[in-house]
Amino acid sequence: MAGGGATGGSVQSETYREARTLLLLPAWVTLGLLTLAPLMIMLIYSFLTKEFRGGVIWEFSLEAYDQFFFDRGLFGDEPPKIEWTYIGIFWRSIWQAGAATILSLLIGFPTAYFIATRPERQRALWVFLVTIPYWVNLLIRTVSMKFLLRDEGPLNDGLMSIGLISEPLGIVNTNLAVQLGLFYSYLPFMVLPIYAAVERYNFALSEAASDLYAPRWAVLRRIVIPSVKPGIIAGCILVFVPSLGSFLAPDLLGGAKTFMIGSLIEEQFKGNAGNWPFGAAASMILLTMVLILLMVFARQSRKEEA
Amino acid sequence: MAKPYDLRRYPGFFAITLLCLVILYAPLVVVAVYSFNDSPSITIWEGFSLRWYVDVFTGPESGKFKDAAWNSFIIAITAATTATIIATLAATAVLRAGKFRLRTVSIGLISLPLMVPEIVTAVATLIFFNAIAFERGVMTILLAHIAFCIPFAYMPISARMQGIEATYEQAAMDLYATKRQAFRRILLPLMMPGIVSGFILAFIISLDDFIITNFVKGAGVETLPTAIFGAVKQGIKPNIMAISTLLLAVSIVMVALSWFIGRRDPAEER
């Protein structure tokens, strides 16, 4: 998640120059061995032959990617057609993550703007209030969401008792439930970068626009939003990327019709029925999509800074 | 020049902020409230009771949850401690060892676990342990947790170090302290709030992880999230809500702690 800014920082001194290899060695070894190397091995596994009890046979094969993109009939002897099942699952995931992102933006932008325009001493407290739920176990938050939304749950009970609806809304197991779950999971990620951008925004620009007879909402649309655009894009990426590969929200809040990439990948590694090379290939495709997105974003923000 | 309205404010934004907070907290509050329900049903409210908390500690499933909680705790403490040490050393090299060729690469490597989707990390780690024939169990969970905790420990530590001017250590060395002494006696104590924040965040991240743990845990080894997930698959039960509320309380206390420690400004402590 666009961690460059958070983990960067400029060089402050050269005090520990001679020790730097020694200081960095533990990080290199740990992350190289447990993060980078596994990704490389996953890439290799995606080109291997599947073994039927789960696992792989060390024999080169394009089978996994072929199965992902092409349909060659039941016996594999028909001319290849495009296989839409998995592309469809990816497409649905993009759509679900996109809907959750838009929902987060609609709620997150006004919230971030409001917090950034509070007196300085209050801001930290507001930000703290928004971030607390992020630190609560994602599984517990998702289960709580299900508890709240289910047909016999407090939301439907409440709405029925005040007579707004006559029967439960039936939200659980729909696309909407998954979108709400994703939205709920990552909403703080939308608020924080937009807040940081609005806090740096120079309100004299709003004054100037208003002095030149710009109506109030035009100031927001034509001046404020373009000025804080990098924050908005960062927020959208921070919500969209984890939503895309999420597993818990679709698994707990959704049903068979809301199958997403995360569940597709998870299924390949569960028990003996799985297909490891296919799971590795699907993971590679997801990773590639995310890295392209992050690269476009990084290039864009570098361009805006220049 | 007088205007009929304040340009910094927009009507409705305050209402949306309140809505945002309600959305963020409502599900948690509802579960916390219902965990005190004196009823085996999760739907009907039958009065206040602590029976489900008693059930968590003494009920038929208490053994399972105790083992899971113990695993979670040991893994989180060990992973967070290791990740914090690694992150502190790495931050010193990145911020206080001049410019060098591998600096950018190192920053990239440290941020890598943040950029890769969690499910992909989970798959890659599982495949890695499988490829080197490393038997799955508590050890595999621990190793995976150390790796993804590093960037979370690193962020507050690096932020704190950026707030401490290098002149303090230089002053110490001008007074004939060795580099090692300057690091141990000057930089490290000034860094402490950042280090504690980093440790706490890493601890919570480890305690919360479900997806990666679920992939790399061996058969029969459970942490709290995987045990809760297994139980929830058969339906939400009141004892699960009690456990969730306890875990919720732990997370909130730790984050509040980290916030108060991390908020102290290095400039104010002279």
Side-chain angles (χ1 to χ4, degrees), chain A residues 225-244:
Chain A
I225 290 179
S227 308
V228 301
K229 206 174 94 195
I232 295 178
I233 295 174
C236 289
I237 291 207
L238 288 179
V239 174
F240 185 80
V241 167
S243 296
L244 197 61

Short mmCIF file of all heavy atoms in Angstrom, two decimals, chain A residues 225-244:
data_model
loop_
_atom_site.label_atom_id
_atom_site.label_comp_id
_atom_site.label_asym_id
_atom_site.label_seq_id
_atom_site.Cartn_x
_atom_site.Cartn_y
_atom_site.Cartn_z
N ILE A 225 -11.11 20.38 -4.30
CA ILE A 225 -10.92 19.00 -4.73
C ILE A 225 -9.70 18.83 -5.65
O ILE A 225 -8.89 17.93 -5.42
CB ILE A 225 -12.23 18.43 -5.35
CG1 ILE A 225 -13.25 18.26 -4.23
CG2 ILE A 225 -11.98 17.09 -6.05
CD1 ILE A 225 -14.61 17.75 -4.67
N PRO A 226 -9.52 19.69 -6.66
CA PRO A 226 -8.29 19.54 -7.46
C PRO A 226 -7.02 19.69 -6.63
O PRO A 226 -6.02 19.01 -6.88
CB PRO A 226 -8.40 20.65 -8.51
CG PRO A 226 -9.85 20.94 -8.62
CD PRO A 226 -10.40 20.72 -7.24
N SER A 227 -7.05 20.57 -5.61
CA SER A 227 -5.84 20.77 -4.80
C SER A 227 -5.51 19.57 -3.94
O SER A 227 -4.34 19.30 -3.67
CB SER A 227 -6.01 21.98 -3.88
OG SER A 227 -6.42 23.10 -4.60
N VAL A 228 -6.53 18.85 -3.47
CA VAL A 228 -6.25 17.72 -2.58
C VAL A 228 -6.31 16.39 -3.34
O VAL A 228 -6.34 15.33 -2.74
CB VAL A 228 -7.21 17.68 -1.36
CG1 VAL A 228 -7.08 18.97 -0.56
CG2 VAL A 228 -8.65 17.47 -1.79
N LYS A 229 -6.32 16.47 -4.68
CA LYS A 229 -6.46 15.26 -5.49
C LYS A 229 -5.45 14.16 -5.13
O LYS A 229 -5.85 12.98 -5.05
CB LYS A 229 -6.36 15.60 -6.98
CG LYS A 229 -7.09 14.60 -7.85
CD LYS A 229 -7.12 15.03 -9.31
CE LYS A 229 -5.98 14.41 -10.07
NZ LYS A 229 -5.72 15.00 -11.37
N PRO A 230 -4.17 14.47 -4.89
CA PRO A 230 -3.25 13.38 -4.53
C PRO A 230 -3.73 12.59 -3.30
O PRO A 230 -3.62 11.37 -3.26
CB PRO A 230 -1.94 14.10 -4.24
CG PRO A 230 -2.03 15.38 -5.00
CD PRO A 230 -3.48 15.76 -5.00
N GLY A 231 -4.27 13.30 -2.32
CA GLY A 231 -4.79 12.63 -1.13
C GLY A 231 -5.97 11.75 -1.46
O GLY A 231 -6.10 10.64 -0.94
N ILE A 232 -6.84 12.26 -2.34
CA ILE A 232 -8.02 11.47 -2.73
C ILE A 232 -7.58 10.20 -3.45
O ILE A 232 -8.07 9.10 -3.15
CB ILE A 232 -8.96 12.31 -3.62
CG1 ILE A 232 -9.52 13.49 -2.81
CG2 ILE A 232 -10.08 11.45 -4.19
CD1 ILE A 232 -10.42 14.42 -3.62
N ILE A 233 -6.62 10.34 -4.37
CA ILE A 233 -6.17 9.16 -5.12
C ILE A 233 -5.50 8.16 -4.17
O ILE A 233 -5.75 6.96 -4.23
CB ILE A 233 -5.21 9.57 -6.25
CG1 ILE A 233 -5.97 10.42 -7.27
CG2 ILE A 233 -4.62 8.35 -6.93
CD1 ILE A 233 -5.11 11.00 -8.36
N ALA A 234 -4.68 8.68 -3.25
CA ALA A 234 -4.02 7.78 -2.28
C ALA A 234 -5.07 7.02 -1.47
O ALA A 234 -4.98 5.80 -1.29
CB ALA A 234 -3.11 8.57 -1.36
N GLY A 235 -6.11 7.74 -1.01
CA GLY A 235 -7.17 7.09 -0.25
C GLY A 235 -7.86 6.01 -1.05
O GLY A 235 -8.11 4.92 -0.57
N CYS A 236 -8.17 6.33 -2.33
CA CYS A 236 -8.85 5.35 -3.19
C CYS A 236 -8.00 4.09 -3.36
O CYS A 236 -8.50 2.98 -3.30
CB CYS A 236 -9.16 5.96 -4.55
SG CYS A 236 -10.47 7.19 -4.47
N ILE A 237 -6.67 4.28 -3.53
CA ILE A 237 -5.80 3.12 -3.70
C ILE A 237 -5.74 2.30 -2.42
O ILE A 237 -5.81 1.07 -2.45
CB ILE A 237 -4.38 3.58 -4.11
CG1 ILE A 237 -4.47 4.13 -5.53
CG2 ILE A 237 -3.37 2.47 -3.96
CD1 ILE A 237 -3.24 4.05 -6.33
N LEU A 238 -5.67 2.99 -1.29
CA LEU A 238 -5.56 2.28 -0.01
C LEU A 238 -6.83 1.49 0.31
O LEU A 238 -6.79 0.52 1.05
CB LEU A 238 -5.28 3.27 1.14
CG LEU A 238 -3.89 3.87 1.16
CD1 LEU A 238 -3.75 4.84 2.31
CD2 LEU A 238 -2.84 2.78 1.27
N VAL A 239 -7.97 1.91 -0.25
CA VAL A 239 -9.20 1.14 -0.05
C VAL A 239 -9.33 0.07 -1.14
O VAL A 239 -9.66 -1.07 -0.86
CB VAL A 239 -10.43 2.07 -0.06
CG1 VAL A 239 -11.72 1.26 0.00
CG2 VAL A 239 -10.38 3.03 1.10
N PHE A 240 -9.03 0.46 -2.37
CA PHE A 240 -9.27 -0.44 -3.50
C PHE A 240 -8.38 -1.68 -3.45
O PHE A 240 -8.85 -2.80 -3.62
CB PHE A 240 -9.06 0.31 -4.82
CG PHE A 240 -9.40 -0.49 -6.04
CD1 PHE A 240 -10.71 -0.63 -6.44
CD2 PHE A 240 -8.40 -1.10 -6.78
CE1 PHE A 240 -11.04 -1.38 -7.56
CE2 PHE A 240 -8.72 -1.85 -7.91
CZ PHE A 240 -10.04 -1.99 -8.30
N VAL A 241 -7.07 -1.46 -3.20
CA VAL A 241 -6.13 -2.59 -3.27
C VAL A 241 -6.44 -3.70 -2.27
O VAL A 241 -6.59 -4.86 -2.66
CB VAL A 241 -4.67 -2.09 -3.15
CG1 VAL A 241 -3.71 -3.23 -2.92
CG2 VAL A 241 -4.29 -1.32 -4.41
N PRO A 242 -6.58 -3.38 -0.97
CA PRO A 242 -6.91 -4.49 -0.07
C PRO A 242 -8.30 -5.08 -0.31
O PRO A 242 -8.52 -6.27 -0.10
CB PRO A 242 -6.81 -3.89 1.33
CG PRO A 242 -6.81 -2.44 1.16
CD PRO A 242 -6.34 -2.13 -0.23
N SER A 243 -9.25 -4.25 -0.79
CA SER A 243 -10.58 -4.78 -1.09
C SER A 243 -10.52 -5.83 -2.19
O SER A 243 -11.21 -6.84 -2.14
CB SER A 243 -11.52 -3.66 -1.55
OG SER A 243 -11.72 -2.72 -0.53
N LEU A 244 -9.67 -5.55 -3.18
CA LEU A 244 -9.59 -6.42 -4.36
C LEU A 244 -9.26 -7.86 -3.98
O LEU A 244 -9.85 -8.80 -4.49
CB LEU A 244 -8.50 -5.86 -5.28
CG LEU A 244 -8.49 -6.33 -6.73
CD1 LEU A 244 -9.78 -5.96 -7.41
CD2 LEU A 244 -7.31 -5.70 -7.47
#
